[in-house]
Amino acid sequence: MTEIDNKPQRGADGAGSAVSVRGLVKHYGETKALDGVDVDVHEGTVLGVLGPNGAGKTTLVRCLSTLITPDSGSAFVAGYDVLRQPRQLRRVIGLTGQYASVDEKLTGWDNLYMIGRLLDLSRKEARSRADGLLERFSLTEAARRPAKTYSGGMRRRLDLAASMIGSPAVLFLDEPTTGLDPRTRNEVWEEVKRMVGDGVTVLLTTQYMEEAEQLASELTVIDRGKVIAKGGIEELKAKVGGRTLRIRPADPAQLRPTATALDEAGLTGLATTTVDTETGTVLVPILSDEQLTAVVGALTARGITLSDIATELPSLDEVFLSLTGHRTSESLDSTATDLEGVAA
């Protein structure tokens, strides 16, 4: 780990960073799970870390939460050096992994109380925090039941509550909604938004594009242990360069003639046009403003009148596919996936 002082690190724009990572490297044998990763998470925000299986997301979280030791690079969380100040750092962070980590034999209340005591809270403080968090996460009625009787969604909420016992300044969420139904996933999202509203900084790893768009203010995309893109959601969409025109002819009978006219004129960018009969529109992929002008001109020349035309940036899933060459659900490398699973 590079020797640097204990002062909180600063982001590139000069603002305080709750998490600041530079050149982080971690090997598993011959496999480089992290290959010079740089990450900044600004205070009171959510950074979404995207990547397919085996990309290095969980390894990054485990390094930053002091569960494993990086081979080189530097990392500060809430101003504490990950390598040199692990005990102080653990007091100001929370961690929720992909699977609930609560003790199923204990009641929900006992789980939270025990964690509070392990964090050196007094008995009174631990009781108060347990009661308050059970109420906040809508688990009061189930507080005295063993955790093994909880549904999957209830266990996930209990796990989130456990990560909040110590009132963390920084919360690491490693694919927190994996395996949850849509309703429970939405409940978790609302709770994360509430935490951020209370000033908590969140680093969120996810493979769900919708989750990233719901929660993250900025994104970092990791592929094969390297950061391949970072920025705001709209910024990343713009970097891909492609846009889609949604064209609605005034006469619905002109839908297919419109698509044919554009294909024959060779004006589309990333693919051929498609016809959406349900919405009465033609979808036209383009790469530039010049193509937009040419599309309108070609249709006018064919005597096709338009009732509406709009431009759309690519979806976040399309951005990811463009950046990495595969979708988030696809595994990059079985060996890397297995190695990261060991760290999960």
Side-chain angles (χ1 to χ4, degrees):
M1 180 76 77
T2 303
E3 292 291 321
I4 51 180
D5 62 35
N6 293 335
K7 295 179 182 179
Q9 298 300 289
R10 299 288 162 182
D13 60 0
S17 292
V19 177
S20 182
V21 179
R22 295 293 179 270
L24 210 64
V25 174
K26 179 63 181 178
H27 293 84
Y28 292 115
E30 296 298 318
T31 300
K32 188 175 284 188
L34 297 178
D35 189 4
V37 169
D38 293 345
V39 169
D40 282 296
V41 189
H42 300 299
E43 297 174 359
T45 67
V46 179
L47 174 71
V49 179
L50 298 176
N53 292 333
K57 304 186 303 298
T58 294
T59 298
L60 174 63
V61 169
R62 290 180 65 83
C63 285
L64 296 181
S65 57
T66 75
L67 294 177
I68 59 176
T69 303
D71 297 323
S72 62
S74 65
F76 277 68
V77 177
Y80 293 108
D81 188 312
V82 167
L83 186 64
R84 296 189 301 181
Q85 300 171 295
R87 294 186 65 182
Q88 297 96 315
L89 187 151
R90 289 171 193 143
R91 294 180 180 275
V92 296
I93 65 173
L95 170 64
T96 295
Q98 298 176 30
Y99 307 100
S101 59
V102 297
D103 190 326
E104 293 190 346
K105 295 180 180 179
L106 297 179
T107 68
W109 189 93
D110 286 338
N111 266 286
L112 299 187
Y113 177 79
M114 177 187 67
I115 293 171
R117 294 292 288 151
L118 290 173
L119 291 173
D120 292 333
L121 297 181
S122 68
R123 288 184 175 85
K124 181 178 180 181
E125 288 175 316
R127 284 195 295 268
S128 177
R129 290 290 294 165
D131 290 339
L133 285 167
L134 286 166
E135 181 176 359
R136 176 172 177 172
F137 285 87
S138 303
L139 292 170
T140 301
E141 292 184 2
R144 300 297 176 178
R145 284 168 40 195
K148 65 182 179 182
T149 67
Y150 287 15
S151 67
M154 293 171 67
R155 291 189 193 189
R156 175 54 71 206
R157 295 203 302 274
L158 181 61
D159 207 34
L160 282 170
S163 71
M164 295 296 293
I165 278 286
S167 300
V170 178
L171 181 61
F172 297 107
L173 300 179
D174 188 19
E175 301 192 19
T177 61
T178 296
L180 297 184
D181 61 83
R183 176 180 177 182
T184 304
R185 185 176 298 163
N186 286 331
E187 291 175 353
V188 171
W189 290 349
E190 290 305 313
E191 192 53 50
V192 172
K193 292 175 183 177
R194 190 188 312 179
M195 293 175 187
V196 176
D198 291 341
V200 178
T201 301
V202 176
L203 187 151
L204 165 77
T205 75
T206 183
Q207 293 191 48
Y208 297 123
M209 298 297 104
E210 185 182 4
E211 185 161 86
E213 293 199 271
Q214 281 281 334
L215 300 177
S217 51
E218 292 195 346
L219 300 176
T220 292
V221 182
I222 296 180
D223 193 14
R224 295 179 174 88
K226 292 179 178 289
V227 173
I228 61 172
K230 61 173 61 177
I233 292 175
E234 296 306 315
E235 180 184 353
L236 290 183
K237 288 180 178 180
K239 283 182 179 179
V240 172
R243 288 175 293 166
T244 298
L245 293 181
R246 184 175 289 274
I247 299 172
R248 178 177 288 106
D251 181 0
Q254 292 293 310
L255 272 177
R256 297 197 180 280
T258 297
T260 300
L262 295 177
D263 285 339
E264 291 177 350
L267 295 176
T268 58
L270 300 177
T272 59
T273 59
T274 57
V275 175
D276 186 344
T277 55
E278 290 187 6
T279 61
T281 58
V282 176
L283 305 180
V284 186
I286 62 170
L287 294 172
S288 66
D289 291 338
E290 290 75 14
Q291 280 187 314
L292 168 58
T293 302
V295 164
V296 175
L299 295 179
T300 300
R302 291 288 188 99
I304 298 175
T305 303
L306 305 180
S307 65
D308 185 47
I309 183 170
T311 61
E312 299 175 352
L313 286 172
S315 69
L316 192 53
D317 197 36
E318 291 169 332
V319 170
F320 189 90
L321 179 61
S322 174
L323 291 171
T324 67
H326 44 73
R327 300 186 184 280
T328 52
S329 58
E330 296 174 355
S331 175
L332 284 176
D333 178 85
S334 59
T335 303
T337 302
D338 292 342
L339 287 170
E340 191 166 341
V342 172

